[in-house]
Amino acid sequence: MAGHASAIQHLAVYASSSDAVEPVFREAARELGHLIGDRGYTLVYGAGSIGLMGVVARAVHERNGRVVGVIPEKLSALEITYEASDELIVTTGMRDRKAIMEARADAFVALPGGFGTLEELLEVLTLKQLDYHNKPIVILNVDGLFDGLLRQFETLFERSFTHDGHRDLYHVATTVAGVFEYLDTYTPSDRPRKVG
Ligand code: AMP
């Protein structure tokens, strides 16, 4: 089912590099990858063959989707690169890697992950808050993994560290189907620009 009607063609996915996580997370990563492939989208991701990153990339390929991996030199030397990527971009460091992923993507999805995933998610959120882009951002909260993070976000809104008008910077989905429902109906909004 290539060429879905949505404007989204390139989906950036941030995800855990750990192979030790519970099966429920691997299942969600696999389902996400399958739908990316079924819809004819291109996966843009960190090029890892390990953890949920590897699961999602292999699942995209199982459904004949396209995979673009963006990896810094240092990590590519560790032999954890998903060599089957249709396009592999090797960058000098983490910063240009993130910039390339951001530029290439029409939307961002955070699967469960650790520090690396959080860092990438918070960077695209911050860039959107500052009006550098207006692309959809979805947090896939599988099995409550991000509950603590979302509580922290609430505290930021409640105590005025983050403007209430920025609640629509991101969407929280609890199912893979919910991710695509949001992406299919996404309309960029005019939120107050962050000035200080
Ligand atoms: P983490 O959530 O800490 O496991 O880090 C995963 C995220 O950081 C991914 O979305 C990647 O973009 C990046 N990353 C961390 N470790 C690696 C790795 N070994 N290979 C490729 N990308 C990685």
Side-chain angles (χ1 to χ4, degrees):
M1 203 226 299
H4 194 268
S6 152
I8 291 163
Q9 289 299 323
H10 295 80
L11 197 62
V13 175
Y14 305 128
S16 173
S17 56
S18 170
D19 277 318
V21 300
E22 295 144 67
V24 65
F25 301 118
R26 299 179 71 84
E27 279 155 26
R30 193 151 180 270
E31 196 187 337
L32 181 70
H34 281 164
L35 275 168
I36 291 171
D38 287 347
R39 285 174 164 243
Y41 294 169
T42 295
L43 169 71
V44 178
Y45 88 122
S49 59
I50 48 172
L52 301 185
M53 304 173 75
V55 173
V56 75
R58 287 188 292 273
V60 170
H61 272 157
E62 278 166 19
R63 298 295 173 87
N64 299 314
R66 192 163 176 273
V67 174
V68 175
V70 190
I71 193 156
E73 256 165 12
K74 183 171 171 333
L75 293 179
S76 78
L78 298 176
E79 296 180 355
I80 46 162
T81 307
Y82 183 56
E83 299 290 349
S85 297
D86 300 288
E87 186 182 348
L88 200 57
I89 303 169
V90 181
T91 65
T92 48
M94 287 295 271
R95 286 167 199 269
D96 48 339
R97 181 248 213 131
K98 280 189 295 175
I100 289 173
M101 288 177 69
E102 284 154 20
R104 287 275 194 124
D106 306 309
F108 306 97
V109 177
L111 269 170
F115 291 148
T117 302
L118 289 181
E119 199 260 301
E120 292 166 322
L121 168 66
L122 288 174
E123 177 164 306
V124 288
L125 269 180
T126 309
L127 290 173
K128 190 170 177 182
Q129 176 175 254
L130 295 172
D131 223 10
Y132 281 96
H133 73 83
N134 212 344
K135 302 172 185 176
I137 300 172
V138 188
I139 300 171
L140 183 48
N141 188 20
V142 179
D143 203 31
L145 186 86
F146 289 127
D147 285 355
L149 179 72
L150 297 171
R151 271 198 299 276
Q152 182 61 51
F153 286 3
E154 272 314 307
T155 303
L156 298 179
F157 289 120
E158 280 162 18
R159 302 187 71 174
S160 303
F161 282 86
T162 304
H163 193 290
D164 225 41
H166 286 128
R167 282 184 184 275
D168 69 349
L169 282 174
Y170 58 90
H171 174 74
V172 181
T174 51
T175 61
V176 170
V179 172
F180 290 99
E181 275 161 30
Y182 177 72
L183 295 181
D184 286 345
T185 54
Y186 179 74
T187 347
S189 73
D190 293 327
R191 79 182 58 73
R193 189 185 294 258
K194 168 99 174 161
V195 285

